[in-house]
Amino acid sequence: MIQDLRNGTKTSLSFEVFPPKKEEEFHNIFDRLDDFAKLKPDFISCTYGAGGSKSGKTIEIASYIQNKLHIDAVAHMTCVGFKQADLEQNCAMLQREGIGHVLALRGDRPRDMTDEQFNGREFFYASDMVRYLKAHTQLCIAGACYPEKHPEAENAASDLAHLKQKTDEGVSFLISQLFFDNDSFYRFRERAVQAGITVPICAGIMPITAVGQLGTSITLSGSTVPGKLSDMLEAYARKPEELRKAGVEYAVGQILDLKAHGVDGIHVYTMNRVKTTAEIVAQI
Ligand code: FAD
């Protein structure tokens, strides 16, 4: 339960899922969630399209997790395209569905958003949405953090100062961007503590199971790819099943090391892949 995470009683295990893009694939997600539930995560979070167009899907999935599977659901919510009325509407939907946890995010700028729209946005940073949610709802609010700094941040120090401001506005726990080098996480955690950030931090782990991931999620995240990982990708570039297994092994190695270093929580970016996630859970 998220309560345990906040009490600091154990290393939590949680998963991220996303709403399938194609309408015809949408119903499959519920079968997958049933399988994810068997792995007994403490919570499952569901992503949200930055433009807001898929918000209904996020809430539908989060409601299934919360009400059918009886696992704490964390609904992601991005405010880059939001007016206050949109936020109010979303909060009312969450309340109606009994979803008590959100991951409050600014979101990335949608491709079709003009400079004027982007620069004139009502909630400028995630912390602005956190302040609003804290004042107007009972939601338990999570925030995002970046062990290797957010790509837009001028430097690590300013990024950390903004993170401190975000937690001060009322964030109860943090979920980190994916990373492959645990040392970068440990350094970040130490700096966060020094900056006075006391909320639990879940470490984001994404198993690499296909070469294509390097060109998408990883590049976007700006995470460093250690030599050991790039060697692995090169060695198994044409052997998909071996690459998948090596990706599982790499993720398991990271998680065991994180647990040994007393991390608050492990958050697996599942990419909706049950088999890979189950293999990881079995080994940790
Ligand atoms: P913020 O906390 O607002 O920070 C954004 C940038 O602004 C940072 O560089 C920060 O240093 C800077 N900043 C913050 N406050 C100030 C200030 N007061 N003055 C000046 N600069 C400031 N995206 C989606 O679209 N959907 C999702 O579901 C989603 N899920 C995610 C889950 C996790 C765990 C993570 C780590 C990211 C996720 N993202 C998602 C991506 C996220 O939306 C982007 O990384 C986005 O660019 C930043 O969002 P944020 O909430 O971290 O922003």
Side-chain angles (χ1 to χ4, degrees):
M1 300 292 283
I2 291 183
Q3 195 57 41
D4 295 331
L5 171 67
R6 284 184 282 153
N7 290 341
T9 47
K10 63 163 194 157
T11 301
S12 70
L13 173 69
S14 55
F15 301 151
E16 179 189 280
V17 298
F18 60 83
K21 286 204 179 74
K22 293 184 187 150
E23 196 61 41
E24 61 271 24
E25 285 171 11
F26 188 68
H27 66 277
N28 286 340
I29 188 71
F30 299 104
D31 293 338
R32 291 190 190 191
L33 286 168
D34 291 347
D35 291 334
F36 280 129
K38 290 176 194 150
L39 305 176
K40 304 215 176 310
D42 294 286
F43 67 90
I44 302 179
S45 80
C46 181
T47 66
Y48 185 93
S53 57
K54 294 273 190 282
S55 67
K57 303 280 189 213
T58 300
I59 293 180
E60 192 178 338
I61 291 171
S63 175
Y64 187 85
I65 295 165
Q66 189 70 52
N67 300 308
K68 293 279 188 328
L69 301 176
H70 305 291
I71 292 171
D72 280 336
V74 177
H76 295 204
M77 201 149 80
T78 61
C79 60
V80 66
F82 262 9
K83 302 228 174 302
Q84 188 173 314
D86 302 316
L87 189 51
E88 282 168 2
Q89 197 188 354
N90 236 38
C91 290
M93 274 157 68
L94 290 170
Q95 195 178 12
R96 216 167 33 238
E97 297 297 328
I99 300 161
H101 300 84
V102 290
L103 175 57
L105 300 146
R106 187 201 66 183
D108 288 320
R109 177 180 174 163
R111 252 179 254 143
D112 58 356
M113 190 177 255
T114 63
D115 284 350
E116 199 183 349
Q117 286 168 327
F118 186 64
N119 296 326
R121 61 195 190 272
E122 214 158 295
F123 296 94
F124 224 78
Y125 298 110
S127 54
D128 299 317
M129 177 159 65
V130 173
R131 189 180 319 114
Y132 179 92
L133 293 173
K134 205 67 198 166
H136 296 93
T137 73
Q138 301 295 316
L139 288 163
C140 170
I141 308 161
C145 64
Y146 302 82
E148 297 178 79
K149 114 176 166 52
H150 183 262
E152 288 166 34
E154 222 167 273
N155 54 53
S158 65
D159 202 29
L160 194 63
H162 299 143
L163 183 63
K164 169 78 167 87
Q165 191 187 343
K166 185 159 70 176
T167 55
D168 287 349
E169 293 289 359
V171 162
S172 297
F173 64 102
L174 293 166
I175 303 179
S176 92
Q177 179 60 286
L178 61 95
F179 60 89
F180 302 105
D181 171 17
N182 285 5
D183 285 340
S184 68
F185 181 83
Y186 302 139
R187 283 194 295 271
F188 164 76
R189 188 173 61 165
E190 206 176 303
R191 289 192 302 110
V193 170
Q194 278 164 8
I197 295 171
T198 53
V199 296
I201 307 175
C202 298
I205 297 295
M206 179 184 274
I208 297 303
T209 55
V211 177
Q213 265 169 282
L214 201 56
T216 51
S217 345
I218 301 170
T219 310
L220 282 176
S221 72
S223 308
T224 307
V225 178
K228 187 179 164 195
L229 184 59
S230 52
D231 289 351
M232 178 193 103
L233 285 162
E234 209 178 301
Y236 300 122
R238 284 184 194 78
K239 300 172 186 160
E241 182 53 16
E242 285 177 46
L243 175 62
R244 198 188 66 78
K245 285 187 180 147
V248 166
E249 197 181 312
Y250 191 91
V252 167
Q254 271 194 283
I255 295 171
L256 292 178
D257 184 66
L258 286 160
K259 286 178 85 169
H261 282 77
V263 72
D264 298 311
I266 302 290
H267 190 65
V268 182
Y269 289 96
T270 68
M271 306 297 284
N272 293 354
R273 293 190 181 115
V274 174
K275 183 179 167 192
T276 295
T277 309
E279 285 176 12
I280 291 172
V281 172
Q283 294 178 60
I284 58 167

